[in-house]
C-alpha cells in the first residue's frame, strides 16, 4: 500500500554518511517522522554516546515513528560487532490514522535506506526490550 509519502533528500544523504561513519553523522541513531502527511524527515538524532535505552526514550509513547540505530553487541561466539537496525514504532495506543499512514509509508523509507539488514516492527515497549526482543533478533543472523 503506497500513501504517496516521500522521503526527504536529507534522510538519504545523512543515512549514507551515517553508515560510513562520516562527520557530522557519527551518531548512534535517527528518529524519523512524517511531516504534514507528505514527507519523511529527521525528527531527532542521538550522538554516539547515547544508548539503546536513550533511543527508546526518544520515541513518543502514543504516536508512530521510524527509527534507525547502530547497535553494538557480541555475537554468540564472543566477537564484537554492530548492525544498523530499522525499527518501525507503531504503538497500539496511537490513533488509527497515523498508524495507517506509517504502516503504508514504511516501504518508501526502507527502500531509501539501502544496506539495512535488520527490520523490526514494534507495537509496544515489550517488543523493544533489548535483551528479550532486539538482541535475539540480531543474533539470529550471525
Amino acid at each position: 500500500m503506497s500513501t504517496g509519502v516521500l522521503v526527504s533528500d536529507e534522510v538519504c544523504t545523512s543515512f549514507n554518511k551515517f553508515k560510513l561513519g562520516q562527520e557530522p553523522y557519527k551518531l548512534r541513531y535517527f528518529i524519523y517522522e512524517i511531516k504534514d502527511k507528505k514527507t519523511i524527515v529527521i525528527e531527532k538524532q542521538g550522538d554516539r554516546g547515547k544508548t539503546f535505552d536513550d533511543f527508546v526514550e526518544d520515541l513518543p509513547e502514543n504516536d508512530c515513528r521510524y527509527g534507525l540505530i547502530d547497535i553494538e553487541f557480541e555475537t554468540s561466539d564472543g566477537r564484537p560487532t554492530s548492525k544498523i537496525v530499522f525499527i518501525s514504532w507503531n504503538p497500539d495506543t496511537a490513533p488509527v490514522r497515523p498508524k495507517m499512514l506509517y504502516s503504508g509509508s514504511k516501504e518508501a523509507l526502507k527502500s531509501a535506506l539501502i544496506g539495512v539488514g535488520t527490520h523490526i516492527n514494534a507495537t509496544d515497549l515489550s517488543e523493544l526490550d533489548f535483551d528479550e526482543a532486539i538482541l535475539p533478533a540480531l543474533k539470529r543472523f550471525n
Side-chain angles (χ1 to χ4, degrees), residues 55 62 76 118 120-121 124:
F55 169 78
N62 298 310
S76 301
T118 305
I120 296 173
N121 296 313
D124 65 45

Side-chain angles (χ1 to χ4, degrees), residues 6-19 22-25 27 29-35 39-46 68 108-109 112-114:
L6 303 173
V7 179
S8 77
D9 291 341
E10 180 192 17
V11 167
C12 298
T13 304
S14 62
F15 170 70
N16 288 326
K17 292 185 178 193
F18 172 73
K19 71 181 179 181
Q22 295 177 343
E23 293 292 350
Y25 296 104
L27 303 169
Y29 61 82
F30 289 103
I31 294 178
Y32 305 105
E33 69 174 329
I34 298 176
K35 197 72 149 178
T39 311
I40 298 171
V41 298
I42 297 169
E43 179 188 37
K44 297 178 183 176
Q45 34 190 56
L68 189 74
L109 181 57
L113 304 177
I114 298 167

Side-chain angles (χ1 to χ4, degrees), residues 101-122:
L101 183 64
Y102 275 79
S103 292
S105 304
K106 177 173 58 175
E107 290 305 317
L109 181 57
K110 284 170 61 173
S111 65
L113 304 177
I114 298 167
V116 177
T118 305
H119 304 264
I120 296 173
N121 296 313

Side-chain angles (χ1 to χ4, degrees), residues 8 12 16 22 28 39 44 48 54-55 61 68 77 79 81 85-86 92 96 99 105 117 122 124 133-134 138:
S8 77
C12 298
N16 288 326
Q22 295 177 343
R28 176 69 59 206
T39 311
K44 297 178 183 176
R48 202 72 195 148
D54 295 323
F55 169 78
E61 186 177 345
L68 189 74
D77 59 359
R79 292 176 292 120
T81 190
V85 179
F86 175 82
D92 291 330
V96 172
K99 285 168 65 168
S105 304
D124 65 45
I134 305 298
L138 293 173

Side-chain angles (χ1 to χ4, degrees), residues 120-135:
I120 296 173
N121 296 313
T123 59
D124 65 45
L125 289 175
S126 70
E127 293 173 327
L128 290 177
D129 182 280
F130 187 77
D131 293 322
E132 298 296 320
I134 305 298
L135 197 54

